[in-house]
Amino acid sequence: MLRRKLAVTGLIGFVIGAIVATIIVVAVRQDEPVADAAARKADKPLPTAPVPTATPIAAKVPKLDLSAANRRTPIPGLPDWSKAGYREGAGLPDDSLVNPQCRITPDRLAEFGVHPDDSQDDSDGLQKAIDTIRTDCSGQASYEKLSLIQLPAGVLDVTKQLGVDADYLMIRGAGTDKTRFVFRPDENTRYDALTKDGGDWDEDGMKFEDGNGGWLWPGRGLFRVQSRAVDPDYQKAYEQAPANRKDLFEGTVNVHWKAGLKLREKPGGAGFAAKAGDTVIYLDEKASLHTVKPGGYVNVRAANTMKFYEQQHAVPTDQELQNLHMRQQLFTVKAVDPAQHTVTIDKPLEYDVPVDSTSDGSEKIDKKVYASKLSPLVDPVVGVGLENFSLTQPVAAAATDAVHNYGNLAPAEEMHGIVLKWAVNSWVRGIRTTMTGSHAIVTEEAKNLQIEGNQFDGAWNKGKGGNGYLRGSRVWDSIYAGNVSRGLRHLTLQWSSSGNVVIGNDLDSDLNLHGGWERRNLFELNTVRIPYEHRSANCRSNCGGEGGEQKDDSTWFPIWWATGQKAVKWSGATGPQNVFFNNNLTKQTKPAAPFTPYLPNHHTIYQFGWNGTAYQPLSAGGQPIPDWSGHEQDNFTAATGLDTSKTDPNQSLFLHTVG
């Protein structure tokens, strides 16, 4: 890892220093008055917006054994989900795997200036603790030799995003009712660039030198599990940037326009560097291989082409088509052949990879040729876990104003709870979020995550720009299990997410296939109860339907599926073979009406966007439907995009036994 090369310090010195410093600090502070404790920090008084109250959530989720030993072998004709989650089912770690020399206790945290319940800013102290682990421990750590920051009980006040880029680190609280983060973003963390109407964060308007807010996507959060390493080409801009623009350049060692490698046609490939089912990717002979190593991670990014848009039935359209990589997936590198200039990945591709946007015979998009790439994660963050604490973000509004309000109440404060970007084999367990600025948890280019046993309750911003989700974007081979969600806009899988298992969750918002060729995901054993009021038209400010500004009269059902004509506004159609099995889905179709079952046959395997052998868009009257809205209760068949030909007598397609 790049950070390890930059962080070489002896553990002996770290431990001795910790012992000496602890003795000194305890001697000085054991009788320290509260007034002196407040005087230790020069921060301005923190804002006084009321802290949202965490109320009990009534829900039942199944107790699941997610271990590899309890997983079914792949079922013929269905995707293979057997290696999803943290370390492909190795089980989340416990204290037996913690290196005692790399454990920061609450007393040790106090040395960094972290003191609960003093109404002073703990941001810098928490960041120093993370940085100390990164410098002194991460280089020698592993999945069997983890570091731990044990948080104290009490309220921790934070005003800045916390960058978690120390590999193999657990950050653990004393429990959701004991360790509580209150996130009040300061003037350098709140967004100072909003759209002209003031209703949403304006990424394009947030600039410094070459950088812009899009480089920050999906946006700032309380915790950001992501590399902060800066590409050398941006180092000068980073150093010169003001405090509220420096993070534009953090992590740029991983961005595809710097790290990505162009491709060449494979032998007999007719314009393709690889085809679905291949494991060997052919690189441009001028591409440097020094950042691609066996055991590392690469994102195989296929350029959009007109033929790909046609496959989605997204054209003709009045929307602007985009030169980008809609089809993506993170793989582990199995082999690198410098002589042949090829890279072998650990499992077969799920999509074709043209050399560029015209090499499959397509016309140019926007008069440009756009290259496909193999983009290594130069500096991934691996083995990070967040556990056993709660977090909230106060704003100057009442939480009751956000209930079934699918607009943005505080656009400048659209901060997320937890961001996982360029992250692998990491987890979030036993977290409680109450009224986050936007998404409770959000991913970008992440693999083998485990989001397990958490509670998510409400968001201030659930409107235009796509806010207020439990958002899985460009996430692969991950598990969302045993979570309870209330008051969010959606649980989404989108932007090429694949191989994920969403199992045993309890939600009052929809399971949303949001568009961008997400595919081969499994939803099972979930309880989803959708009231009539869960609808985009319930909005009082800064609204936005699914990809548009106009309200509509639809009400969300337990499942949402992106059509090409609809989702081309922001990405593209949902991809093939997303599977629903043995869920308890109910919908209230009118105000005060009873809740009625949806997809009620618990042993039927519902495969969306699938005709039994290949992709088939949902269709009606011989044509792909233009919008899921209004077609939620259609009687689809395999010929019209919903294959129900398979059944299974078990409770789960993923697990042998269910508790």
Side-chain angles (χ1 to χ4, degrees), residues 345-389:
I345 54 178
D346 63 324
K347 59 182 182 179
L349 281 166
E350 298 173 2
Y351 46 86
D352 297 338
V353 183
V355 173
D356 59 43
S357 58
T358 63
S359 65
D360 67 349
S362 292
E363 296 294 322
K364 295 177 182 178
I365 297 172
D366 195 25
K367 301 179 181 180
K368 297 176 183 176
V369 176
Y370 193 73
S372 297
K373 291 183 179 179
L374 181 143
S375 192
L377 296 193
V378 175
D379 189 27
V381 175
V382 299
V384 167
L386 304 176
E387 302 184 341
N388 300 343
F389 56 79

Side-chain angles (χ1 to χ4, degrees), residues 235-367:
Q235 186 63 40
K236 184 177 180 181
Y238 173 75
E239 293 169 357
Q240 294 176 344
N244 66 348
R245 294 293 187 271
K246 284 189 179 294
D247 55 351
L248 301 182
F249 304 99
E250 293 177 348
T252 47
V253 293
N254 288 329
V255 296
H256 71 87
W257 60 90
K258 288 297 181 181
L261 308 175
K262 292 184 178 181
L263 310 178
R264 77 179 194 273
E265 182 178 295
K266 75 173 191 173
F272 289 86
K275 299 280 282 185
D278 289 349
T279 57
V280 177
I281 316 296
Y282 286 77
L283 302 184
D284 187 302
E285 292 179 351
K286 296 180 181 178
S288 173
L289 296 173
H290 74 281
T291 56
V292 185
K293 296 177 174 59
Y297 304 101
V298 293
N299 188 349
V300 180
R301 308 171 66 104
N304 285 1
T305 71
M306 287 301 301
K307 289 187 176 181
F308 178 51
Y309 275 121
E310 290 165 4
Q311 181 186 8
Q312 302 170 61
H313 296 272
V315 288
T317 179
D318 294 331
Q319 304 298 321
E320 182 179 346
L321 301 182
Q322 301 178 77
N323 277 308
L324 50 73
H325 305 119
M326 193 183 305
R327 295 162 291 181
Q328 300 183 28
Q329 189 163 353
L330 280 178
F331 297 93
T332 302
V333 176
K334 297 298 289 185
V336 179
D337 188 334
Q340 297 297 319
H341 237 62
T342 61
V343 173
T344 302
I345 54 178
D346 63 324
K347 59 182 182 179
L349 281 166
E350 298 173 2
Y351 46 86
D352 297 338
V353 183
V355 173
D356 59 43
S357 58
T358 63
S359 65
D360 67 349
S362 292
E363 296 294 322
K364 295 177 182 178
I365 297 172
D366 195 25
K367 301 179 181 180

